[in-house]
């Protein structure tokens, strides 16, 4: 049952082969059996899930159900869920019960889906390995000595191990695509503004974007249909029609122009990963696409630019966690300063503190022009490179991550090595463009992701490009032995 696609599950639910309660129970049982090993979930909402499933079954019986009604999913623990702990994997929010639903959660509830629980992540989404979580690291289902990637590592591990048919994630610099790559999933980060950020705990507001983490492109398209759209409560969400993302998923790729940026195939890229990506690109040629080498000359600026912009925005966003209104509060504060200092000192982990301090420094009066303003200028150069490239090509392809999943602990003492795990994904966020990672093969038993980058609002095209590849390959169908 857990190897079905969303449309197969939907058909089984609609024709009465299975009820949503049975399906939900099946996944809850799998979570029960496997979560201790993977640590993919922070919270499992068993009772609420079964209630939602019952309600879904009624709609299914009345024949008023939609395509997603009754299908379970997991939410990254960054999305506010009414009445349920929303921790962002931080001690700071360990006791925070969200009083309302994020727009994404509300839309998915309205579509009739069933929430199984909240998935583990890097603390406040800062990380590339899921090792900064207050609740401990997540293990990669392909090899439990290895990281699943981050920051949406819990969602990635849950879907890869079939503890949920699909999950939500968020991507500020690669956090949907990089764990998708390391866990053999199809992950999509939409155009900035495509999905509301309301109720999604902010890390870096000008970069954050939610998206689906799925077993295949069609599943991702179905969930994106429910997630996307303008929201009055998020002034950065874009007022633009939401197409049916499944409608053109089978279109031919004849004549598709693929750009390969030479900067994505240079130093630092593992040679086996490179060979795997090149083989995937050959498959696209056999499907009628043509290949062109392109250049994104400012690629080298992406990581340093991101590590000014993201910390600057996070230092501002996280200032609301002050021990006064919600979240962790220290015991017996002497005075207000002591309350702030100890609550924040105790509540935040090392990586979050490092980012807040870097960001506060970059924004300080004497350094603003030298760092923050300069970073914004670099950001413009990076976006211009992409626009230049899209004059000649329809889609840009390359590796999602420079290596396959690394061992737990390998990079925890070296923040810069960790930051480089997102070297190919970060520029997309700086430009606000949509990007995907799709399974493209294996190196020594570990998954490799192919990255697809599209122009603004080209999600439907990316999903089509991904889906055609998946009709001709079966990498995305592979499941780790222990979780079959
Ligand atoms: N790994 C990057 C970081 O640590 C990106 C994280 C993300 O996309 N949320 O900031």
């Amino acid at each position: 049952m857990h190897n079905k696609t969303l449309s197969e599950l939907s058909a089984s639910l609609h024709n009465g082969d299975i009820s949503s309660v049975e399906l939900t129970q099946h996944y809850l049982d799998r979570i029960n059996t496997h979560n201790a090993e993977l640590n993919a979930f922070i919270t499992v909402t068993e009772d609420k899930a079964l209630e939602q499933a019952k309600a879904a079954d009624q709609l299914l019986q009345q024949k008023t159900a939609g395509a997603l009604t009754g299908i379970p999913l997991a939410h990254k623990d960054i999305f506010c869920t009414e009445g349920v702990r929303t921790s962002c994997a931080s001690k700071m929010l360990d006791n925070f019960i969200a009083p309302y639903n994020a727009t994404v959660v509300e839309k998915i509830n309205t579509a009739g889906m069933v929430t199984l629980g909240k998935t583990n992540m890097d603390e406040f989404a800062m990380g590339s390995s899921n090792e900064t979580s207050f609740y401990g690291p997540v293990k990669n289902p392909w090899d439990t000595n290895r990281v699943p990637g981050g920051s949406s590592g819990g969602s990635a591990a849950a879907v890869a191990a079939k503890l949920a048919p699909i999950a939500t994630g968020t991507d500020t610099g690669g956090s949907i695509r990089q764990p998708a790559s390391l866990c053999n999933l199809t992950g999509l980060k939409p155009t900035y503004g495509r999905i509301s950020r309301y109720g999604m705990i902010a890390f870096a507001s000008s970069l954050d974007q939610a998206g689906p983490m799925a077993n295949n492109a069609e599943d991702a398209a179905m969930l994106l249909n429910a997630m996307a759209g303008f929201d009055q409560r998020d002034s950065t969400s874009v007022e633009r029609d939401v197409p049916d993302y499944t409608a053109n998923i089978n279109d031919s790729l004849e004549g598709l122009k693929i750009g390969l940026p030479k900067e994505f195939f240079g130093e630092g890229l593992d040679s086996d990963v490179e060979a795997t990506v090149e083989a995937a690109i050959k498959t696209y040629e056999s499907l009628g696409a043509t290949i062109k080498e392109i250049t994104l000359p400012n690629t080298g600026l992406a990581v340093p630019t991101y590590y000014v912009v993201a910390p600057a925005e996070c230092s501002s966003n996280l200032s609301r966690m002050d021990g006064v209104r919600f979240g962790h509060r220290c015991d017996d504060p002497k005075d207000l300063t002591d309350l702030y200092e100890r609550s924040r000192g105790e509540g935040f982990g090392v990586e979050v503190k490092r980012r807040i301090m870097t960001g506060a420094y970059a924004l300080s009066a004497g350094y603003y022009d030298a760092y923050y303003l300069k970073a914004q200028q670099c950001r413009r150069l990076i976006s211009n490179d992409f626009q230049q490239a899209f004059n000649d090509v329809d889609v840009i392809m390359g590796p999602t991550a420079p290596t396959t999943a690394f061992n737990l602990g390998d990079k925890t003492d070296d923040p810069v090595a960790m930051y480089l795990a997102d070297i190919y994904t970060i520029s997309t966020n700086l430009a606000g463009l949509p990007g995907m990672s799709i399974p493209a093969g294996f190196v020594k038993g570990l998954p490799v992701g192919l990255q697809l980058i599209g122009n603004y609002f080209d999600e439907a095209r990316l999903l089509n490009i991904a889906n055609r590849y998946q009709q001709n390959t079966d990498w995305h169908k592979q499941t780790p032995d222990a979780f079959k």
Side-chain angles (χ1 to χ4, degrees):
M1 200 182 318
H2 49 268
N3 289 315
K4 290 192 170 162
T5 65
L6 291 201
S7 57
E8 287 165 354
L9 287 177
S10 185
S12 301
L13 288 163
H14 278 87
N15 67 27
D17 286 348
I18 189 173
S19 70
S20 175
V21 168
E22 286 166 335
L23 185 62
T24 301
Q25 192 60 56
H26 177 73
Y27 280 104
L28 290 169
D29 291 346
R30 285 186 65 79
I31 294 169
N32 231 331
T33 312
H34 295 293
N35 191 48
E37 193 183 349
L38 297 173
N39 201 21
F41 283 83
I42 293 174
T43 304
V44 181
T45 48
E46 178 157 0
D47 294 343
K48 278 183 189 281
L50 290 168
E51 258 171 54
Q52 281 184 316
K54 268 192 206 133
D57 280 334
Q58 267 179 359
L59 295 178
L60 286 156
Q61 266 157 24
Q62 293 159 6
K63 307 276 175 218
T64 51
L68 293 169
T69 306
I71 298 179
L73 92 164
H75 284 300
K76 184 175 182 179
D77 207 14
I78 198 168
F79 293 98
C80 285
T81 38
E82 190 179 350
V84 174
R85 173 170 61 172
T86 299
S87 73
C88 244
S90 180
K91 178 176 179 186
M92 187 56 101
L93 294 180
D94 181 47
N95 63 3
F96 176 61
I97 308 291
Y100 65 95
N101 281 326
T103 297
V104 161
V105 172
E106 197 177 276
K107 283 168 95 72
I108 286 174
N109 285 347
T110 305
M113 295 187 84
V114 172
T115 303
L116 296 166
K118 309 290 294 290
T119 57
N120 206 343
M121 54 184 280
D122 280 298
E123 185 180 4
F124 287 105
M126 299 174 198
S128 305
S129 67
N130 225 296
E131 292 168 295
T132 71
S133 168
F134 173 61
Y135 303 96
V138 176
K139 315 288 170 58
N140 189 319
W142 290 93
D143 176 349
T144 51
N145 294 314
R146 292 178 189 266
V147 304
S151 64
S152 312
S155 289
V159 179
K162 317 281 179 200
L163 309 189
I166 194 160
T168 54
T170 63
D171 191 313
T172 303
S175 280
I176 288 176
R177 290 160 289 158
Q178 185 256 10
S181 173
L182 272 44
C183 291
N184 205 44
L185 299 183
T186 300
L188 168 64
K189 178 204 99 70
T191 308
Y192 182 78
R194 180 69 294 189
I195 294 178
S196 170
R197 290 183 299 109
Y198 179 78
M200 187 176 112
I201 296 173
F203 162 11
S205 308
S206 75
L207 301 163
D208 298 343
Q209 191 55 199
M213 301 186 72
N215 284 310
N216 60 68
E218 193 194 18
D219 288 5
M222 286 174 74
L223 189 60
L224 184 63
N225 278 346
M227 295 173 82
F230 173 66
D231 179 7
Q232 268 184 333
R233 293 173 299 186
D234 171 7
S235 60
T236 63
S237 73
V238 175
E239 215 165 343
R240 184 182 172 113
D241 286 347
V242 179
D244 174 357
Y245 288 106
T246 62
N248 293 92
I249 206 154
N250 294 321
D251 286 3
S252 158
L253 300 186
E254 202 59 55
L256 178 76
K257 285 186 254 151
I258 298 175
L260 303 182
K262 65 173 194 286
E263 294 79 5
F264 282 20
F265 292 87
E267 198 194 332
L269 176 61
D270 176 276
S271 57
D272 291 331
V273 170
E274 181 170 6
T276 309
V277 165
E278 278 164 1
I281 289 162
K282 285 254 168 340
T283 305
Y284 275 106
E285 283 186 290
S286 74
L287 295 173
T290 56
I291 308 295
K292 183 172 182 204
E293 185 179 88
I294 57 164
T295 173
L296 299 170
N298 293 295
T299 297
L301 297 177
V303 172
T305 299
Y306 174 87
Y307 280 99
V308 173
V309 174
E313 294 184 13
C314 102
S315 74
S316 164
N317 277 324
L318 269 53
S319 63
R320 69 182 63 128
M321 317 282 167
D322 56 7
V324 176
R325 285 160 295 185
F326 54 83
H328 175 74
R329 176 180 295 175
C330 67
D331 289 334
D332 304 320
K334 281 201 308 285
D335 53 28
L336 189 62
T337 306
D338 185 44
L339 167 76
Y340 288 155
E341 284 180 359
R342 279 199 294 129
S343 300
R344 287 169 68 81
E346 293 164 8
F348 291 134
V350 174
E351 183 59 27
V352 173
K353 285 179 189 160
R354 180 168 21 243
R355 306 272 180 121
I356 292 173
M357 288 170 71
T358 314
Y361 180 85
L363 290 177
S364 60
Y367 293 105
Y368 182 89
D369 289 357
Y371 293 109
Y372 192 71
L373 199 68
K374 187 59 101 198
Q376 294 294 22
Q377 290 163 343
C378 293
R379 193 171 176 176
R380 171 63 61 182
L381 295 176
I382 291 165
S383 318
N384 290 349
D385 283 356
F386 279 111
Q387 286 318 300
Q388 193 71 36
F390 283 124
N391 287 332
D392 295 331
V393 299
D394 304 312
V395 63
I396 294 170
M397 290 191 188
T400 304
T403 64
T404 54
F406 42 93
N407 282 318
L408 288 152
D410 254 13
K411 298 187 201 258
T412 38
D413 296 331
D414 186 350
V416 174
M418 189 71 90
Y419 297 169
L420 290 172
D422 292 313
I423 189 156
Y424 305 126
T425 49
I426 273 178
S427 49
T428 318
N429 300 72
L430 290 166
L433 293 165
M436 269 187 100
S437 181
I438 59 172
F442 290 81
V443 170
K444 300 189 187 86
L446 296 169
V448 174
L450 171 73
Q451 185 174 207
L452 320 177
I453 301 171
N455 211 341
Y456 298 110
F457 297 100
D458 263 355
E459 288 81 8
R461 188 70 170 138
L462 288 181
L463 287 159
N464 163 225
I465 294 167
N467 184 56
R468 293 294 290 175
Y469 179 76
Q470 293 181 343
Q471 288 171 337
N472 289 278
T473 55
D474 62 2
W475 306 118
H476 63 289
K477 293 189 181 148
Q478 307 303 314
T479 305
D481 281 341
F483 304 98
K484 284 215 154 108

